[in-house]
Each structure stands twice: as structure tokens, then as C-alpha cells.
Amino acid sequence: MPLDRTAEDLLAAVLASPRAVAAHDKTAWVGLFAEQAAVHDPYGSRAHIGPEAISRFYNVFIAPNTIAFRVERDIVAGHTVVRDLHIETTMSTGATVVVPMHLRYDLVATDGGWRIIRLAAHWELGVMVGRLLRTGSAGVLAGAKLGPQLVGELGMGGAMGMMRALRGVGGRGKRIVRGLFVAAAGGDSGRVQELLGRASVRVASGNTLSSAEFGEMVRSMRWGKMIAAGRTVSVSVRMGESGGVVFVDFASGSSRIERVTVYLEG
């Protein structure tokens, strides 16, 4: 289905990000964000809010590296763009890691056009560190260099804030989400209701769904990449001919599902 003009403009604003990253154009990249924008990267870590903090984030995580976006699909819903992708990062030491990811960009209209007001990068810090170390000495050296860079640019508080991404719903959250999908596929409406409880369930830019409607909607759904970041599990899915991403948010300090949001192509 062709995108309308607003959706085209939103996607164009988002596509400017990997171009600026590839060009190592810091001014262009930071300029994509609104004045009080927040970057959650990885999601679950302490947010980088405002131009100065976002600039420092760039200095640590983008400037020293070569980053390629391997995008599987883009979904535009309302003023949000969701990207289903892998990111390939080559460190200054030569170590290369490929990390599965879901990116969510929330945008806002400004006098200068559409700007990113919130970027949430859903990827697993522990998985990335493990892959980096498995690259050998180049990966170990990259990790050793990153620590002082983090502290130098973000301070000790910022470095500790990054480590918050190691906490969250993790494997337990994934098991609960997998159980929800399996129950729906098996037509077990009671189990679907039990797992969803009073959670808000909706299709992005669409209707709010009851647990029964959600169960029926995803009954024939196929799912693949599953990422636990912070209090959220995000999942790459296919429903018929449409691909999508489902975000399952858990309540703070709990295994209770609080919100489910479905983003679908078309």
C-alpha cells in the first residue's frame, strides 16, 4: 500500500539518520532531534535528553565506529516509525558485531520539519557484549577502550546508567510473551486472558482490542526475532502477507503485562 504524504515525510526524516551516521556527520545527526528529545539506546538504560547529551552519546557510540543498517522492514503508524533490522558495527579496533534490533522513532512537527522527539533502540546489551568478546583480542580491546570513553563523555553516572540496560524482564519476559503467543495459536482463550489481565492492547493507529480479539488476531501469527530490553519485549511477526513488530510492556518490578502494541505494514 502506498504511503501518504505525511508517512513519506516521517520516513524520510528517519532515513536521514543512517545517512548521517554513515557520513559521520555529527551536526546533521544531532540536528535530526527536537530540542528536548530523548535517546534510549539501548532501551532500559538511562536516557540521553537534549542536544548536549545526545551530542555526547554520538561521541561515544557513533563517532569511533563504522555502522551499517541492515533493514528488513519499516512501518509507519501515526507519528511513529518502527524499523525491524540488524545493525553491523565495526569498532575502531576492527572488531565487528551484528546485533538484532528494533528501533522506534516518535516524531513531532516543528518549524524546521519533522524531528525525532524520542528514539528507543531495543537491543540486548548482554548479547552484544558476548558477541563482541567472541571476536577475540580486537573485541576485548574495543571493550577496554569503551569504558574510559563512557566515563569521559558521560561521567560515572552516565556509565552506570548505561548498565541499567542489563536489568529488565530478560528471559522471563520472553517466556511469558512466547507463552501468550502459543496460547493464542492454540485457541486457548482462557490462558490468553490470564496472561493479558487488564493490559491495554491495541493496533498502532487503530482500535483497542479485547483479549479475545487479540487472541483471534494473532492466532495464525508467526513470530521470529524476540528482544528483551528494559521492561519491554519486542517481537518480529508476520500476519498473513504483512510483517510487523509487537511491543509487550511489563509493569515496573513485575511480570504482569501492562501494554501490548502491534505495528503492522500496510
Side-chain angles (χ1 to χ4, degrees):
M1 182 182 298
L3 296 175
D4 62 30
R5 179 57 187 272
T6 297
E8 288 179 348
D9 291 344
L10 291 167
L11 186 56
V14 166
L15 293 178
S17 175
R19 285 200 301 271
V21 168
H24 282 88
D25 189 338
K26 176 180 175 180
T27 300
W29 192 77
V30 175
L32 298 173
F33 293 87
E35 186 65 25
Q36 290 302 311
V39 172
H40 303 259
D41 191 348
Y43 189 72
S45 64
R46 192 173 80 178
H48 308 272
I49 301 174
E52 182 178 348
I54 292 172
S55 176
R56 290 179 178 176
F57 170 87
Y58 180 98
N59 293 343
V60 176
F61 298 105
I62 299 177
N65 305 320
T66 299
I67 301 172
F69 290 61
R70 313 299 187 200
V71 180
E72 297 169 39
R73 67 179 50 87
D74 290 317
I75 304 163
V76 184
H79 293 169
T80 297
V81 177
V82 172
R83 311 201 83 186
D84 187 348
L85 75 166
H86 288 72
I87 284 188
E88 179 180 290
T89 302
T90 301
M91 312 287 189
S92 61
T93 62
T96 297
V97 290
V98 178
V99 177
M101 191 174 299
H102 296 119
L103 293 176
R104 174 177 167 165
Y105 298 82
D106 297 319
L107 295 103
V108 62
T110 71
D111 292 340
W114 289 101
R115 293 287 183 270
I116 301 164
I117 190 67
R118 179 177 180 271
L119 166 59
H122 292 256
W123 55 278
E124 297 178 358
L125 179 59
V127 169
M128 185 271 190
V129 170
R131 292 185 179 188
L132 180 62
L133 295 178
R134 285 195 293 273
T135 64
S137 58
V140 174
L141 180 57
K145 291 178 67 175
L146 181 59
Q149 289 172 339
L150 271 171
V151 174
E153 286 287 345
L154 307 181
M156 186 59 70
M160 296 302 294
M162 175 78 174
M163 295 302 104
R164 291 181 190 173
L166 294 172
R167 303 195 300 269
V169 294
R172 177 168 175 75
K174 287 183 178 181
R175 289 190 294 273
I176 292 171
V177 172
R178 194 175 292 113
L180 173 64
F181 291 169
V182 168
D188 187 347
S189 58
R191 181 59 175 160
V192 171
Q193 172 63 57
E194 178 185 351
L195 288 170
L196 287 177
R198 297 185 178 181
S200 165
V201 182
R202 71 183 185 92
V203 178
S205 298
N207 297 328
T208 298
L209 305 177
S210 67
S211 61
E213 289 169 331
F214 174 78
E216 188 61 32
M217 176 185 179
V218 304
R219 186 165 186 174
S220 59
M221 181 181 75
R222 292 169 288 162
W223 63 90
K225 180 171 66 184
M226 186 175 288
I227 296 169
R231 306 296 307 168
T232 299
V233 174
S234 56
V235 191
S236 299
V237 301
R238 289 203 67 84
M239 297 186 194
E241 297 302 313
S242 295
V245 178
V246 177
F247 292 89
V248 181
D249 300 314
F250 287 80
S252 178
S254 168
S255 297
R256 175 176 59 83
I257 295 175
E258 187 172 60
R259 181 170 46 252
V260 179
T261 310
V262 181
Y263 290 87
L264 284 176
E265 294 172 311

